[in-house]
Amino acid sequence: MSVAEKEKVETFKNLVNGEWKSSRNGATFENENPAVRGSNIALFQSSTPEDVREAIDVADNAYRTWRRTSVPERQNYIAEFLRLLKESREELARIVTLENGKTIRESRGEVDSALVEGSYHLNQIANFMGQAGPNAFRDISTWVQYHSLGVVGVISPWNFPMNVMSRKTLPALLTGNTVVFKPATFTPWSGVFMAQLLEQAGLPKGVFNCVTGLGSSIGNVIVEDPRVRAITFTGSTEVGKKIQVKGSVNLTRMQLELGGKNALIVMDDADIGEAVGAAAIAGFSNAGQWCTSTSRVLLHRDIAKQFLSTLTARCEKMNVADGISETADMGPVAGPQQFDDISKAIRQAKADGARLVAGADAGDPAGYFIRPTVFTDVTTNMPVFRDEIFGPVIAVCEFSTLDEAIELANNSIYGLSSGMFTKNLANAKKYIDGIEAGLAHVNIHTGYKEPAMPFGGVKQSGAGLPENSRTGLEFFVDQKAVYLRG
């Protein structure tokens, strides 16, 4: 990119101690719109370890005052942030689409989800912070007192760049912690925009800090600093394992929301139309790039042919286009690395003998487009069955009994989300009891969630307390058991 071209796009800075700062070395990186190969929509700071350490310094200093603010004071700041977020819905949705690729309708939904979750945490914090305990003796009073941890590192993903950031950051702030936030390199604009809203909400200097850059350059600095008492991270299982190892040196508290290979079981008594709709929504929304997406569909043999015919027809009708278009059903995948990895997985599935029934046509070469893709004749030893592809690719297997279906679904190192379609209550209960996943859905797609329910996986899909619900706040506090006589 030439100097003249760089001057045409805006350059965004880091937010450190209430000031917008350039990185110490003056280096920046580009942000590509995945619908337009070779484009650049803005420049962002390629931060150095020293930039990050400064952010940790000021967050550590700010914590001494912030931790003593009252819950109502913190609520006022977050309420103002949510008001600004609601006002900015359309602008932020456009930014998410431009840098992530998802459709503008999906981006609006992401903002709406953040508003719902943020309002939930805002309303539950007052009751959460005080808990009385049973008194074994009349002259002894007992209660549990919660204390904030200190500096929290928030490392958010590119697939839901503002919703996940909000789900992590708001509970951290409401419980009295300060934050050092690193947005994903694919989607820094969404993160910086959220930082701007928090600044506008009037947060005191140093309470929230935002630094952009490569995870390999600055992520480790956040994870390894002993002053950072907790890390909340969403991303791949591979990276999550490395973060856990590095953080273990300081016994840093970890909340890791990682990969998934989520299965949808469709029984012979299921409503086929609804089940196909669920597979398409969770399989192809955000181009299949969400951790709770449906990537395996397990079909009862008696309905497999009908289901596949209906799903294939739906895939063929989907309009895969620039997500900024109101008529797009699916946008591009998030960038060149995603495109290459997903394309390689599709080629591997073909070579392994899986049968391609949807997605044969190439996407628009102007961007990183991949058509909704479905494979049948999949066996459990194939990578398309076992590996997280993180794209619009569904692997289909057939079964004869529910026991076989549950065994197939559990045949994975992952255990994040799952789903089942049936009209039989006994079958539903057997699935709920037997599935090895943090989320179990019956007659609902695998991506559905509510803020009052815990969000996290088992096996290699996560570690630490889940996000959302009460645990979403518990992660950010220490508990003190108090005994008082007198």
Side-chain angles (χ1 to χ4, degrees):
M1 188 179 190
S2 69
V3 173
E5 288 174 320
K6 283 188 176 183
E7 290 176 350
K8 295 178 182 178
V9 298
E10 187 171 358
T11 299
F12 291 93
K13 298 181 178 181
N14 293 333
L15 178 63
V16 178
N17 203 28
E19 299 178 11
W20 293 96
K21 297 184 175 184
S22 300
S23 62
R24 278 171 164 74
N25 61 8
T28 59
F29 65 94
E30 299 179 4
N31 188 14
E32 185 178 25
N33 176 355
V36 185
R37 294 184 188 230
S39 60
N40 179 41
I41 53 179
L43 294 170
F44 295 85
Q45 302 305 307
S46 187
S47 301
T48 67
E50 290 73 23
D51 294 319
V52 179
R53 291 190 187 99
E54 181 188 2
I56 297 171
D57 286 342
V58 300
D60 189 40
N61 288 330
Y63 172 66
R64 293 161 193 161
T65 302
W66 179 249
R67 67 189 293 265
R68 300 190 181 283
T69 57
S70 67
V71 170
E73 285 180 86
R74 298 176 208 153
Q75 285 178 303
N76 287 338
Y77 288 118
I78 301 307
E80 177 62 9
F81 165 77
L82 292 173
R83 186 191 69 79
L84 293 168
L85 180 60
K86 186 175 182 179
E87 276 187 1
S88 306
R89 176 179 184 259
E90 198 63 26
E91 183 179 3
L92 181 52
R94 180 177 174 274
I95 289 170
V96 171
T97 291
L98 285 175
E99 64 178 358
N100 169 278
K102 66 177 67 177
T103 69
I104 189 69
R105 296 192 307 278
E106 291 169 336
S107 295
R108 292 181 187 122
E110 182 177 348
V111 178
D112 293 342
S113 180
L115 287 167
V116 170
E117 291 177 358
S119 297
Y120 172 79
H121 292 305
L122 181 67
N123 292 327
Q124 75 162 338
I125 185 65
N127 289 333
F128 170 81
M129 291 304 287
Q131 178 184 334
N135 298 329
F137 301 96
R138 291 183 181 179
D139 63 340
I140 297 177
S141 298
T142 65
W143 67 90
V144 175
Q145 192 163 305
Y146 292 123
H147 294 273
S148 51
L149 303 175
V151 181
V152 170
V154 174
I155 304 175
S156 68
W158 50 261
N159 59 336
F160 287 91
M162 55 75 50
N163 185 13
V164 175
M165 174 271 186
S166 178
R167 187 189 309 151
K168 296 173 182 294
T169 299
L170 300 190
L173 295 174
L174 284 166
T175 48
N177 301 280
T178 55
V179 171
V180 175
F181 167 54
K182 194 200 89 65
T185 311
F186 281 8
T187 53
W189 196 358
S190 303
V192 170
F193 189 90
M194 295 289 275
Q196 291 171 340
L197 294 185
L198 285 166
E199 181 196 30
Q200 292 170 32
L203 275 179
K205 292 182 178 181
V207 170
F208 176 87
N209 307 274
C210 173
V211 287
T212 59
L214 294 175
S216 57
S217 300
I218 63 173
N220 289 342
V221 181
I222 299 174
V223 173
E224 295 174 354
D225 195 302
R227 294 169 298 173
V228 177
R229 298 309 310 140
I231 296 289
T232 175
F233 166 83
T234 295
S236 71
T237 295
E238 179 185 3
V239 175
K241 287 179 178 180
K242 294 177 181 177
I243 287 175
Q244 189 168 49
V245 169
K246 291 180 182 298
S248 66
V249 174
N250 297 312
L251 296 180
T252 305
R253 188 174 300 184
M254 291 287 167
Q255 183 181 62
L256 307 176
E257 201 275 283
L258 308 175
K261 191 68 177 177
N262 312 299
L264 177 68
I265 299 170
V266 185
M267 298 299 293
D268 55 347
D269 64 343
D271 184 308
I272 300 301
E274 289 187 3
V276 168
I281 289 170
F284 305 131
S285 294
N286 199 17
Q289 300 168 122
W290 47 341
C291 50
T292 54
S293 66
T294 295
S295 54
R296 294 180 294 159
V297 173
L298 312 179
L299 302 176
H300 193 284
R301 296 188 191 281
D302 291 349
I303 53 87
K305 185 175 180 180
Q306 179 187 358
F307 183 99
L308 282 170
S309 175
T310 307
L311 178 61
T312 301
R314 180 160 179 158
C315 290
E316 291 173 349
K317 293 178 181 178
M318 288 182 67
N319 178 26
V320 181
D322 188 336
I324 211 70
S325 168
E326 296 285 354
T327 62
D329 296 313
M330 190 178 91
V333 299
Q337 188 63 58
Q338 276 296 101
F339 182 86
D340 291 345
D341 290 347
I342 297 166
S343 299
K344 181 180 178 181
I346 291 172
R347 292 193 298 270
Q348 182 66 54
K350 291 178 182 177
D352 290 337
R355 183 165 64 94
L356 183 71
V357 296
D361 297 332
D364 185 348
Y368 301 107
F369 294 97
I370 295 176
R371 294 285 310 171
T373 302
V374 180
F375 283 101
T376 62
D377 297 340
V378 172
T379 59
T380 57
N381 64 325
M382 293 180 181
V384 71
F385 179 89
R386 309 193 71 82
D387 297 343
E388 184 183 36
I389 297 173
F390 218 62
V393 181
I394 291 177
V396 177
C397 298
E398 297 181 15
F399 64 87
S400 298
T401 67
L402 178 54
D403 286 334
E404 183 184 355
I406 293 173
E407 184 178 354
L408 280 169
N410 290 339
N411 187 355
S412 174
I413 64 171
Y414 301 107
L416 181 53
S417 189
S418 63
M420 180 189 195
F421 272 75
T422 184
K423 297 175 184 175
N424 186 303
L425 183 59
N427 283 343
K429 288 183 176 179
K430 187 173 186 178
Y431 148 75
I432 292 168
D433 289 341
I435 198 69
E436 296 170 355
L439 286 74
H441 303 82
V442 178
N443 299 325
I444 307 169
H445 69 77
T446 61
Y448 185 80
K449 61 180 173 60
E450 293 191 5
M453 298 294 287
F455 182 80
V458 299
K459 299 196 281 190
Q460 294 192 33
S461 285
L465 288 175
E467 299 173 340
N468 275 343
S469 75
R470 183 178 179 85
T471 60
L473 294 172
E474 285 180 348
F475 173 75
F476 295 105
V477 296
D478 281 326
Q479 299 186 29
K480 180 184 293 181
V482 179
Y483 301 84
L484 175 63
R485 171 178 276 157

